[in-house]
Amino acid sequence: MGKNKYLKWLAGNTATAWWHDSAMPDEIENGIANGAVGVTTNPPLIKNAVYAKNTPWMTALSTVPRNLARDDRTEEIIKRITVKIAEMFESIYYETAGAQGYVCAQVNPTLPGDRERMLEMAKRLSKWAPNIAVKLPVTAAGLDVLEECAAAGITVTATVSFTVPQVIAVAARYRKGLERAKKSGISPGKCFAVVMVGRIDDFLRDVAMDRNVPVKTSDITMAGTAIVKRAYEIFEKEKYEAVLMPAGMRGAYHATALAGGKMVLSIHPKIQTMIAELQGPFRRQIDEQIDQDVIARLRTIPEFLKAYEPQGMKPEDFISYGAVQKTLSQFVVAGWAGIEEYPILK
């Protein structure tokens, strides 16, 4: 991919940081060269990396014990890749005093409502390397685990998240966990609150078509961006310690519309390639408001209202929200299950 002028400008001239979104070493190295200060992975990304032709992870995976139970061997595969990636970012982690340099490790996506097992796994994953950010789903159970992790000083990335209510809940529970950690004399970890901007756009497009809601395609492509901008305003007003992390982008427009905000963008190599085609001059756009006519049309979609309004959902509603269920299923079917079946272990 080579030099990416926009990403280097973003990293060097604004408050916005960005993390690389894949598990392929050569892509990660290119990301670092262009200013990436962390890595977001998930089960599908790990699965794609281990099944890649001539996978660079073959040596690390060839000695995985063959007698492990299915979930255990999946976790072991993820561990071996994640630890190697973490080594690539340790220098950034120490140079920034733990502000950046993290690599994500996601808990089993088949457990979104199981507090005990998620917490147990989160504690285990956090010990893989000093710069691990444990990924937890933003469900009611996931929020409980998030607070416990924060209280224990574990850095978390709150994922499977698409809405303003979800990231506000993340920020509030993280703040509670921070207070508990400080009272206990525990050094606090970080918290990154994901908004999957492209996935919420995809979901709302399906809903609008199914219900024959008269919204434009161009309106739908602004939905995720509108959600992030509203969440950002609230985070700034409330001075939340959690950091917003827009992810799952569908085009360069998702990144440019959010440029300049105090947040972390998760950017896949395909989107990095699109961004590389941008020509300057580049500018901060986080404060530029979405046209109110667009918002008005999007408001005719009930599922958008749930996602856009701060009180649109309660935590107990998160797990049944359509985009959450769809993404959890994809993480299992297109990721976790595929890793379990990795041929070298048969």
Side-chain angles (χ1 to χ4, degrees):
M1 289 181 283
K3 187 175 181 180
N4 192 311
K5 293 181 179 179
Y6 185 89
L7 290 178
K8 290 182 75 69
W9 166 82
L10 188 73
N13 297 277
T14 79
T16 306
W18 76 276
W19 290 12
H20 182 85
D21 190 38
S22 88
M24 295 296 289
D26 57 336
E27 294 175 344
I28 293 170
E29 289 173 358
N30 187 79
I32 292 173
N34 285 299
V37 290
V39 169
T40 50
T41 61
N42 57 40
L45 291 177
I46 295 290
K47 184 240 182 181
N48 290 342
V50 300
Y51 279 93
K53 186 177 182 180
N54 300 319
T55 177
W57 300 117
M58 181 63 74
T59 300
L61 300 180
S62 62
T63 57
V64 172
R66 297 171 182 268
N67 60 346
L68 295 175
R70 290 172 66 88
D71 281 347
D72 291 338
R73 71 186 184 190
T74 301
E75 185 176 323
E76 182 64 23
I77 290 172
I78 294 173
K79 177 181 179 179
R80 293 190 179 212
I81 293 174
T82 303
V83 168
K84 290 292 186 182
I85 297 174
E87 291 174 359
M88 299 171 73
F89 284 85
E90 273 196 16
S91 61
I92 295 174
Y93 173 77
Y94 289 116
E95 287 167 5
T96 63
Q100 296 291 346
Y102 292 97
V103 177
C104 292
Q106 186 165 334
V107 300
N108 188 335
T110 68
L111 307 173
D114 192 326
R115 290 164 176 81
E116 183 177 348
R117 292 179 65 190
M118 281 197 292
L119 180 57
E120 178 184 298
M121 188 172 185
K123 290 179 178 179
R124 191 165 62 246
L125 269 54
S126 72
K127 296 177 181 177
W128 287 355
N131 53 331
I132 294 294
V134 177
K135 266 191 171 182
L136 297 167
V138 185
T139 58
L143 289 168
D144 288 344
V145 176
L146 185 151
E147 182 180 331
E148 293 303 315
C149 285
I154 296 171
T155 291
V156 296
T157 299
T159 190
V160 195
S161 177
F162 313 85
T163 72
V164 173
Q166 284 179 293
V167 292
I168 289 176
V170 167
R173 295 301 291 273
Y174 176 60
R175 178 169 282 179
K176 287 184 178 180
L178 278 182
E179 292 171 354
R180 290 171 55 191
K182 291 175 182 177
K183 288 180 180 178
S184 301
I186 294 174
S187 179
K190 302 295 183 183
C191 178
F192 303 95
V194 168
V195 177
M196 294 179 158
V197 289
R199 286 177 179 265
I200 187 63
D201 288 354
D202 296 344
F203 171 65
L204 293 174
R205 183 179 296 108
D206 290 343
V207 172
M209 291 179 65
D210 187 62
R211 298 186 181 183
N212 287 316
V213 178
V215 294
K216 302 176 181 179
T217 299
S218 58
D219 295 338
I220 294 293
T221 60
M222 298 302 293
T225 300
I227 288 166
V228 173
K229 285 178 180 280
R230 187 162 205 195
Y232 185 70
E233 290 178 354
I234 295 169
F235 270 50
E236 288 292 281
K237 179 181 178 181
E238 299 296 330
K239 294 181 170 37
Y240 283 134
E241 296 84 359
V243 178
L244 282 172
M245 178 179 279
M249 299 177 185
R250 296 297 183 257
Y253 59 90
H254 275 135
T256 56
L258 302 171
K262 290 182 287 185
M263 59 180 68
V264 176
L265 306 183
S266 171
I267 309 178
H268 188 275
K270 290 182 180 179
I271 308 302
Q272 293 174 37
T273 299
M274 297 177 189
I275 290 172
E277 298 175 359
L278 298 174
Q279 300 298 315
F282 308 133
R283 73 181 196 279
R284 172 188 172 97
Q285 296 187 49
I286 184 62
D287 299 319
E288 297 179 10
Q289 298 298 308
I290 304 297
D291 189 302
Q292 289 304 301
D293 288 340
V294 172
I295 299 296
R297 288 191 292 270
L298 288 170
R299 282 179 175 277
T300 63
I301 308 173
E303 299 304 305
F304 175 76
L305 286 175
K306 292 180 181 180
Y308 188 70
E309 294 296 338
Q311 304 300 323
M313 288 188 289
K314 297 178 180 179
E316 56 265 33
D317 300 323
F318 295 162
I319 197 168
S320 61
Y321 189 64
V324 171
Q325 279 296 309
K326 182 177 180 180
T327 300
L328 283 171
S329 295
Q330 289 174 340
F331 280 176
V332 174
V333 176
W336 194 266
I339 299 171
E340 284 183 337
E341 297 300 328
Y342 185 56
I344 199 169
L345 300 179
K346 289 184 177 179

